[in-house]
Structure formats: structure tokens, C-alpha cells
Amino acid sequence: MKIIAALLLGTSFFTFSFHSSEKSAPDTELTVNGSSGIKFSKLTFEKAIKQAQATGKLIFIDVHTSWCGPCKEMAKTTFTDSEVGTVFNRRFINLKIDAEAGEDGPMISKAYTVTAYPTLLFVNGEGKLVRRLVGKQSKEKLLAAVSTIK
């Protein structure tokens, strides 16, 4: 009887812990390294398109892979910069998409002909490509590039 009670208690604790951690995680945003940099939304591309149509914002997509060194470096430096975060969080719906994972990654890679990483895409609410940047971008280069996007 004590064994059954212990198992039930352990299962209940595990279930409670799992559901509690799920609810405490934000549904829509993922901040890189807990910084004041870019806040990447956890939206699907389809939902981001709808949000872009509703808000008039462009969608910024960081297309990366898990094995890409320059992608990881940008995630730790450029994307965590507070000035970059201020500009991107104000002007764009920000998505971080692994080109080789999930439904959106391979679809976006194919649709926008992504052949190198990182590739940074700026897409409007109709899904039309507005601007593409390929390769690692410094804070200065990235901010200069987005300053010309209307």
C-alpha cells in the first residue's frame, strides 16, 4: 500500500511540475540569452503572416541551423544587443527558424531559396520577400541594412 501511495504521489508531483513549467513559459516570445535584445516570437510562419497583416509590420526571420557557427555567434552577440533589440522589437515580428527542423524550417528554406546560413529574411504580410541578408552581420551592418527598409 505504501508503494502505491508513493508512486501516486511521485506521478502527481511530476505531472504538476510539468504542467506548471509549461504554463510559466511565455507562449509568444523567446528572448535570446535572457537579454534586452531581439525578442523572437514562437509563432508559426502562418500566424506571423496574419499578425503582419493585422499590424502592418514586416516579419524578420533568422534562418539558421543547429550546426552553424556564425549563426550561434550572431545569437550571442548581434541579437542580444539592446540597440538591435529596440529597433527589431519595435519594427518587426521576429522569428527564429531552424532551416532543418519543424514544418516551417524546410518550407521557408525552399520558398525563399535559402542556401547559406545565417540567412536573414524580411517578409511582408503577403509573404513577399522585401530584403535578404546572407552571412553573419555585425550590429552596425544589421542596423544600417534595416534603416533602408520601409
Side-chain angles (χ1 to χ4, degrees), residues 28-29 41-59 92-95 124-125:
T28 58
E29 291 185 349
S41 296
K42 292 182 180 180
L43 298 172
T44 63
F45 183 64
E46 184 179 332
K47 287 182 181 179
I49 288 284
K50 289 178 184 175
Q51 189 174 348
Q53 291 169 346
T55 62
K57 289 183 174 185
L58 293 177
I59 303 166
F92 306 111
I93 298 162
N94 304 302
L95 300 180
N124 67 19

Side-chain angles (χ1 to χ4, degrees), residues 17-148:
S17 297
F18 179 73
H19 288 293
S20 295
S21 66
E22 269 185 15
K23 291 178 183 175
S24 66
D27 289 336
T28 58
E29 291 185 349
L30 169 68
T31 304
V32 177
N33 295 336
S35 73
S36 58
I38 297 176
K39 290 180 174 59
F40 289 94
S41 296
K42 292 182 180 180
L43 298 172
T44 63
F45 183 64
E46 184 179 332
K47 287 182 181 179
I49 288 284
K50 289 178 184 175
Q51 189 174 348
Q53 291 169 346
T55 62
K57 289 183 174 185
L58 293 177
I59 303 166
F60 164 65
I61 309 170
D62 167 31
V63 184
H64 66 281
T65 64
S66 61
W67 48 263
C68 170
C71 301
K72 291 176 184 178
E73 194 172 330
M74 277 191 73
K76 288 180 184 174
T77 59
T78 308
F79 295 158
T80 60
D81 183 86
S82 61
E83 187 177 351
V84 172
T86 298
V87 171
F88 276 70
N89 297 334
R90 181 174 41 87
R91 292 190 56 199
F92 306 111
I93 298 162
N94 304 302
L95 300 180
K96 188 170 196 55
I97 296 182
D98 187 326
E100 300 174 333
E103 290 181 34
D104 284 346
M107 181 272 298
I108 286 172
S109 294
K110 184 176 181 182
Y112 295 102
T113 319
V114 175
T115 59
Y117 308 104
T119 294
L120 309 178
L121 304 172
F122 297 86
V123 178
N124 67 19
E126 295 158 13
K128 182 180 174 188
L129 182 65
V130 174
R131 181 94 191 253
R132 170 195 316 265
L133 300 171
V134 178
K136 181 180 166 221
Q137 305 292 312
S138 66
K139 166 189 169 176
E140 295 77 17
K141 280 185 175 180
L142 187 59
L143 290 174
V146 299
S147 72
T148 62

